[in-house]
Amino acid sequence: MKVNEKILILDFHGQYNQLIARRVRECNVYSEIVPYDIDVSKIKEISPKGLIFTGSPFSVYEENAPTISKEILELGIPILGICYGMQLITHLLGGNVSRADKREYATTSVNIDNTSPLFLGFDNNNDCLMTHSDFVESLPQGFKNIASTPSCPNAGMVNVEKNLYGIQFHPEVNNTNRGTEIIHNFVYNICGCSGDWKMSSFVQESVKTLKEKIGDKKALCALSGGVDSSVAAVLLNKAIGKNLTCIFVDHGLLRKNEGDEVEKVFREQYDINLIRVNAKDRFLSKLEHVSDPEKKRKIIGEEFIRVFEEEAKKIGKVDFLVQGTIYPDVIESGVGKGQTIKSHHNVGGLPDYVDFEEIVEPLRDLFKDEVRKTGLELGIPENLVYRQPFPGPGLAIRVIGEITEEKLDILKEADFIFRDEIAKAGLDRTLNQYFAVLTNLKSVGVMGDERTYDYTLALRAVETSDFMTATWSRIPYDILDTVSTRIVNEIKNINRIVYDITSKPPSTIEWE
């Protein structure tokens, strides 16, 4: 999609880089994450309204620390350095960064200069998340202090003439009070943005672009029934109508009854060409004896493509493959210079050779909540738009270790009970994602005075706004008790239930 305003976020491998991008977009300004070593000429070509430097696990004075050309600081583009980003600006322009005697890893009261355009509308103190072991000991020439704490005298700085700003704390996280307002002040007060990034304009622009790109050619959409692929399908249908064919591959790794439910929705509610392919045996055969999660993803990714190619040949020449790839998929799959967290079947899991003219990913630049907003703009019913997120590899990455049909049947029933009880308790719209995981661990139990040696099932539920970070959900004990009792009583081969109480980070939402 073409946008008139763009904020580039230079990624120095900080853990909150995706959150920064999301917060900028909440201000109705488009943002994009790029590698820290992006060429200066490329920045000039993009002509962003502003740059943001992320945090990093490195120290700027280390030999192999990520850095930039000083020329970027001379482009005249407003820059906001966050944590490591502030320290890097300091280091490059002659200031001094040192190891702190007292590290700060907590929400801290920060004294701020509320006459600075970065803090307009704020009181003199604001609670902010500080996570650093280094600090700016002395500012570069031409900079002045705009924030401090008792143990960090230079928690914020500015060079008004060069439009360079730095803050030691993280405005992008919820722990920082009014953090999004700080980012809003940067993109509006300092970068001069007007805010042209809206879902309504995204839909209009995307439909126009897709019409021009695909024209009278044929497109094949990889439909899983999840939110992402469903929105992509309806968006493409709006753009090219009957030139779109959706292929729903039931790989046998879906939740209980899900294949039939997906088929019913798209046949009854939309005038879309839909082909359902029942490929359970094919996928399970390929996954036999495979335990490594990355291998599972790669196998499933390749089989998806091969199925689409085969189906495409049956219906004639198809030029484009449409996928519901979204921005977190791209980031987590390590596209570019990022580190691979996990390969997504529709990004990092694609085979090297694909028999289509081009892959079309209309949602590639969107975060999950933006995809949902797009779905509502397209008139997709809320029950489908807010459907539980489900990974492309399906239950393959919720069965730990080797996959068997028996394990899948056990997990499908357990997951159904968990989701059923969550819905009965009225928590299905409060919890952002919840599911069961069949671990590869067996333990001793006792049922009816007899010893058992069966599987341990893990329950997972999280709350999140962007799916880049997440907090484990505090489900009431009585609900967990009901879920546990039902699963153990109704399903054979499970004798122990555990509840996952880790957030993201350090874990990911899915177990594999």
Side-chain angles (χ1 to χ4, degrees):
M1 175 185 174
K2 296 179 181 178
V3 290
N4 297 320
E5 302 174 333
K6 184 180 291 187
I7 299 292
L8 287 188
I9 297 163
L10 272 61
D11 178 15
F12 293 90
H13 307 305
Q15 63 175 320
Y16 301 130
N17 52 8
Q18 298 92 344
L19 269 183
I20 299 171
R22 188 64 201 93
R23 296 297 177 250
V24 173
R25 293 190 188 187
E26 286 176 2
C27 299
N28 292 326
V29 177
Y30 182 74
S31 61
E32 184 176 324
I33 299 171
V34 297
Y36 69 87
D37 56 356
I38 182 174
D39 193 83
V40 177
S41 62
K42 183 65 176 176
I43 295 178
K44 291 179 180 177
E45 178 186 330
I46 296 172
S47 187
K49 298 285 285 186
L51 303 174
I52 297 178
F53 297 169
T54 73
S56 174
F58 293 89
S59 293
V60 294
Y61 45 75
E62 293 176 345
E63 184 177 349
N64 297 319
T67 190
I68 59 170
S69 165
K70 284 179 64 175
E71 187 180 350
I72 292 177
L73 303 178
E74 304 295 335
L75 291 175
I77 300 172
I79 296 175
L80 173 62
I82 297 175
C83 197
Y84 180 90
M86 171 180 171
Q87 295 168 10
L88 181 62
I89 294 171
T90 300
H91 182 68
L92 291 174
L93 296 181
N96 187 43
V97 177
S98 302
R99 178 69 65 175
D101 294 330
K102 182 180 180 182
R103 298 182 298 176
E104 288 184 299
Y105 290 96
T107 301
T108 306
S109 179
V110 179
N111 297 317
I112 58 176
D113 178 1
N114 58 12
T115 65
S116 168
L118 196 61
F119 302 127
L120 284 182
F122 280 71
D123 295 328
N124 292 326
N125 292 280
N126 196 64
D127 289 339
C128 305
L129 179 67
M130 304 280 274
T131 62
H132 65 102
S133 55
D134 295 331
F135 78 110
V136 174
E137 187 172 15
S138 61
L139 299 176
Q141 186 175 355
F143 283 76
K144 74 170 187 174
N145 181 292
I146 55 173
S148 64
T149 72
S151 57
C152 185
N154 294 308
M157 66 181 191
V158 61
N159 183 316
V160 176
E161 182 182 347
K162 294 185 176 182
N163 243 346
L164 301 179
Y165 290 77
I167 49 178
Q168 186 59 66
F169 54 87
H170 291 271
E172 69 273 21
V173 298
N174 290 331
N175 308 62
T176 294
N177 183 39
R178 301 173 64 185
T180 301
E181 292 180 49
I182 296 173
I183 292 175
H184 183 280
N185 283 345
F186 175 70
V187 298
Y188 283 92
N189 297 344
I190 297 166
C191 298
C193 293
S194 60
D196 64 353
W197 174 246
K198 296 179 176 67
M199 288 301 100
S200 56
S201 58
F202 171 81
V203 170
Q204 295 168 6
E205 184 72 28
S206 295
V207 169
K208 178 183 176 184
T209 300
L210 290 167
K211 281 181 179 178
E212 294 172 352
K213 183 183 188 70
I214 298 175
D216 292 329
K217 293 183 178 180
K218 303 292 184 181
L220 197 63
C221 180
L223 179 64
S224 70
V227 178
D228 305 333
S229 64
S230 297
V231 172
V234 175
L235 186 63
L236 262 293
N237 185 59
K238 188 177 179 67
I240 63 172
K242 289 299 183 179
N243 284 331
L244 171 70
T245 298
C246 291
I247 294 184
F248 168 46
V249 178
D250 185 348
H251 47 23
L253 303 168
L254 298 171
R255 291 168 289 200
K256 184 178 179 179
N257 302 328
E258 192 160 33
D260 294 338
E261 291 171 0
V262 169
E263 183 175 13
K264 181 179 180 181
V265 167
F266 277 86
R267 289 204 190 282
E268 293 183 0
Q269 295 192 28
Y270 301 102
D271 185 22
I272 292 178
N273 295 326
L274 176 65
I275 297 172
R276 177 175 176 175
V277 183
N278 294 306
K280 179 181 75 172
D281 292 342
R282 173 175 180 163
F283 276 82
L284 292 186
S285 175
K286 290 284 185 179
L287 291 165
E288 191 174 5
H289 304 310
V290 176
S291 298
D292 180 79
E294 276 298 288
K295 287 183 180 179
K296 291 179 186 178
R297 290 174 178 274
K298 297 286 186 181
I299 289 169
I300 293 168
E302 175 149 4
E303 282 308 297
F304 261 104
I305 293 298
R306 298 307 168 221
V307 171
F308 294 141
E309 289 173 347
E310 292 168 13
E311 294 300 320
K313 289 173 183 175
K314 293 178 185 178
I315 63 177
K317 179 172 170 34
V318 176
D319 307 281
F320 297 91
L321 172 64
V322 181
Q323 295 193 133
T325 309
I326 65 174
Y327 204 30
D329 297 340
V330 177
I331 295 168
E332 291 196 340
S333 292
V335 174
K337 296 206 174 189
Q339 181 182 5
T340 299
I341 300 171
K342 54 189 178 184
S343 293
H344 290 262
H345 76 281
N346 50 355
V347 188
L350 287 176
D352 293 332
Y353 172 72
V354 179
D355 191 17
F356 293 95
E357 180 180 313
E358 190 174 340
I359 293 176
V360 176
E361 298 170 316
L363 309 178
R364 187 182 178 89
D365 294 328
L366 301 187
F367 287 93
K368 178 70 75 173
D369 58 322
E370 293 174 321
V371 174
R372 295 191 195 281
K373 290 177 183 177
T374 300
L376 295 176
E377 285 286 337
L378 288 165
I380 300 176
E382 282 196 15
N383 65 324
L384 184 56
V385 169
Y386 287 99
R387 188 174 187 159
Q388 272 289 296
F390 192 61
L395 299 182
I397 58 170
R398 292 180 182 174
V399 170
I400 307 302
E402 183 180 355
I403 300 167
T404 66
E405 194 162 358
E406 179 192 26
K407 286 183 177 179
L408 287 172
D409 289 342
I410 293 170
L411 179 57
K412 285 179 183 180
E413 293 299 327
D415 183 74
F416 178 82
I417 290 172
F418 185 33
R419 290 186 291 118
D420 183 49
E421 290 300 329
I422 289 296
K424 287 178 180 177
L427 297 177
D428 50 324
R429 288 289 292 271
T430 303
L431 307 179
N432 300 105
Q433 191 165 352
Y434 50 94
F435 54 90
V437 177
L438 187 65
T439 74
N440 207 25
L441 173 68
K442 286 190 173 183
S443 64
V444 175
V446 57
M447 297 181 73
D449 296 326
E450 294 183 2
R451 178 187 185 276
T452 62
Y453 190 64
D454 285 321
Y455 287 111
T456 297
L457 183 87
L459 302 178
R460 177 76 159 145
V462 299
E463 295 168 25
T464 176
S465 61
D466 50 33
F467 289 85
M468 301 312 304
T469 63
T471 302
W472 66 274
S473 302
R474 275 64 171 174
I475 296 177
Y477 291 155
D478 59 332
I479 298 173
L480 290 174
D481 180 53
T482 301
V483 172
S484 177
T485 301
R486 276 195 63 186
I487 289 174
V488 172
N489 286 344
E490 297 177 28
I491 303 172
K492 293 181 179 180
N493 303 116
I494 295 175
N495 67 359
R496 191 178 300 275
I497 313 290
V498 297
Y499 186 52
D500 185 344
I501 59 169
T502 47
S503 296
K504 175 185 180 181
S507 68
T508 54
I509 294 176
E510 297 288 346
W511 274 39
E512 288 193 342

